[in-house]
Amino acid sequence: MIDLVQERILVTGGAGFVGRQLCDMLRDRGCKNLFTPRSADYDLVDRAAVARMLAAFNPSIIIHLAAKVGGIGANRENPGLYFHDNLVMGVNLIEESRKTGLKKFVQVGTVCAYPKFTPVPFREDDLWNGFPEETNAPYGVAKKALLVMLQAYRAQYGYNGIYLLPVNLYGPWDNFDLKTSHVIPAMIRKFIEAGQEPQAQARGAVVELWGDGSPTREFLYVRDCAQGIIAATEQYEGAAPVNLGSGQEVSMKDLASKIRELTGAKADYTFNPNYPNGQPRRCLDTSRAEEAFGWRASTTLDDGLKQTIAWYQAQRAEQGRR
Ligand SMILES: NC(=O)c1ccc[n+]([C@@H]2O[C@H](COP(=O)([O-])OP(=O)(O)OC[C@H]3O[C@@H](n4cnc5c(N)ncnc54)[C@H](OP(=O)(O)O)[C@@H]3O)[C@@H](O)[C@H]2O)c1
């Protein structure tokens, strides 16, 4: 068990959606030597910048969250960038920190690494039994390659790198930009806007959603994810990847109807099958996380959605006042 308060912790992507929650929790625990460098100062795609960053902060632990991420649309528009940057950032950090005698490296991977047709619930041992769903394969494969790198470095250099696989996340500070957002913030925004626009109300607003509504997803509240990452950083020392999920599977149709109800929107909705569905089903087996470091998610989808909607509405009200 690592006492994080005693460590020098560097969190990449610390100002991002997951990073904010994680760093708040670490500060609340009393971690004083916490470093969250930004990309403007240290571009992790640049190997020399990574070396400079490690020399400047001399961390004993790195939690690597920085990534180029987005929903299906953003993945389809940036397959090359997502493959390159996600792979190279990890490669640079792992190789440079290997030379510094780092105590632990925590790589945050993604459910997008799983094969398109994985038996549900997804078990970590099935990770290599097929190719990921096409729209997010470049992102998923780049991240999955870092698992191999960590296992190889553990075998050859005794490098202590662990690898976590969070499912789709949601919560306060998520990205609500419709061009790049994931499905939950996109649905929340669309329903709230449809309910608020006077013209839309007058003509009976219809919210258009992507795909045919049949795919299922599992969603993990961002604070639960951050708690899982912290528990693993403290307690997990294995080479095998570990899923982080809520275990609750929901179809896009049911999610849309839930979000419409929780936002109080009067708008109707329709699914447009001309847009891609993405992976047909997603739901993780989370038993390894519970056995290895006693973590399980505690926030129900309803509670998490209520908190996310309340946060987004407060943000909109704040912006309206400015
Ligand atoms: N969101 C999800 O649903 C989800 C699900 C599963 C796994 N994950 C994983 O969780 C991690 C965090 O995701 P997130 O949603 O919090 O992402 P996010 O909000 O987009 O934050 C990512 C951060 O990465 C940093 N970054 C990007 N390119 C960089 C570069 N070249 N050099 C240095 N920093 C760079 C950015 O830092 P600056 O702000 O300083 O530019 C940004 O704040 C990622 O590894 C992602 O793959 C996310």
Side-chain angles (χ1 to χ4, degrees), residues 13-19 37-40 42-45 64-69 85 89 107-111 139 143 166-170 174 182:
F17 168 46
V18 181
R38 302 296 302 268
S39 62
Y42 300 100
D43 178 358
L44 303 180
V45 173
H64 179 36
L65 298 175
K68 293 284 190 294
V69 300
D85 283 14
M89 282 194 265
Q107 172 67 48
V108 175
T110 169
V111 65
Y139 167 68
K143 291 216 132 192
V167 77
N168 294 49
L169 307 174
Y170 71 105
D174 204 345
H182 289 107

Side-chain angles (χ1 to χ4, degrees), residues 170-217:
Y170 71 105
W173 299 107
D174 204 345
N175 170 15
F176 282 79
D177 177 345
L178 292 177
K179 286 203 278 310
T180 49
S181 60
H182 289 107
V183 61
I184 285 186
M187 280 191 186
I188 291 175
R189 179 167 179 174
K190 285 180 182 179
F191 277 116
I192 287 179
E193 288 184 351
Q196 285 179 349
E197 285 169 25
Q199 314 94 314
Q201 271 180 334
R203 61 167 193 269
V206 177
V207 168
E208 186 182 85
L209 303 170
W210 281 26
D212 64 12
S214 69
T216 68
R217 290 288 178 273

Side-chain angles (χ1 to χ4, degrees), residues 30-61:
C31 296
K32 295 216 165 36
N33 292 314
L34 180 63
F35 311 107
T36 56
R38 302 296 302 268
S39 62
D41 298 317
Y42 300 100
D43 178 358
L44 303 180
V45 173
D46 173 359
R47 173 75 69 87
V50 171
R52 258 195 307 116
M53 180 183 79
L54 296 181
F57 299 109
N58 188 27
S60 55
I61 293 178

Side-chain angles (χ1 to χ4, degrees), residues 43-53 88 91-93 95-96 99 149 153:
D43 178 358
L44 303 180
V45 173
D46 173 359
R47 173 75 69 87
V50 171
R52 258 195 307 116
M53 180 183 79
V88 171
V91 166
N92 286 345
L93 274 166
E95 171 59 9
E96 287 302 316
K99 302 174 194 163
M149 182 170 182
Y153 273 43

Side-chain angles (χ1 to χ4, degrees), residues 284-302:
L284 302 182
D285 176 340
T286 56
S287 52
R288 186 177 285 174
E290 191 155 3
E291 281 154 26
F293 44 89
W295 174 85
R296 76 188 291 180
S298 59
T299 310
T300 63
L301 182 59
D302 277 38

Side-chain angles (χ1 to χ4, degrees), residues 82-228:
Y82 278 26
F83 184 87
H84 176 268
D85 283 14
N86 288 312
L87 181 69
V88 171
M89 282 194 265
V91 166
N92 286 345
L93 274 166
I94 295 166
E95 171 59 9
E96 287 302 316
S97 65
R98 171 182 77 79
K99 302 174 194 163
T100 70
L102 192 79
K103 188 183 273 185
K104 192 169 206 170
F105 183 88
V106 180
Q107 172 67 48
V108 175
T110 169
V111 65
C112 298
Y114 272 98
K116 179 171 182 177
F117 300 106
T118 306
V120 173
F122 296 7
R123 292 171 55 253
E124 292 91 342
D125 292 344
D126 286 329
L127 197 55
W128 296 98
N129 292 342
F131 194 72
E133 194 277 330
E134 297 75 18
T135 56
N136 56 221
Y139 167 68
V141 171
K143 291 216 132 192
K144 194 150 84 162
L146 298 173
L147 168 62
V148 179
M149 182 170 182
L150 288 175
Q151 290 172 335
Y153 273 43
R154 183 181 287 273
Q156 184 169 355
Y157 308 117
Y159 183 85
N160 185 17
I162 64 167
Y163 194 93
L164 305 172
L165 289 157
V167 77
N168 294 49
L169 307 174
Y170 71 105
W173 299 107
D174 204 345
N175 170 15
F176 282 79
D177 177 345
L178 292 177
K179 286 203 278 310
T180 49
S181 60
H182 289 107
V183 61
I184 285 186
M187 280 191 186
I188 291 175
R189 179 167 179 174
K190 285 180 182 179
F191 277 116
I192 287 179
E193 288 184 351
Q196 285 179 349
E197 285 169 25
Q199 314 94 314
Q201 271 180 334
R203 61 167 193 269
V206 177
V207 168
E208 186 182 85
L209 303 170
W210 281 26
D212 64 12
S214 69
T216 68
R217 290 288 178 273
E218 174 189 359
F219 297 98
L220 177 64
Y221 192 56
V222 64
R223 286 187 65 82
D224 285 350
C225 178
Q227 267 157 0

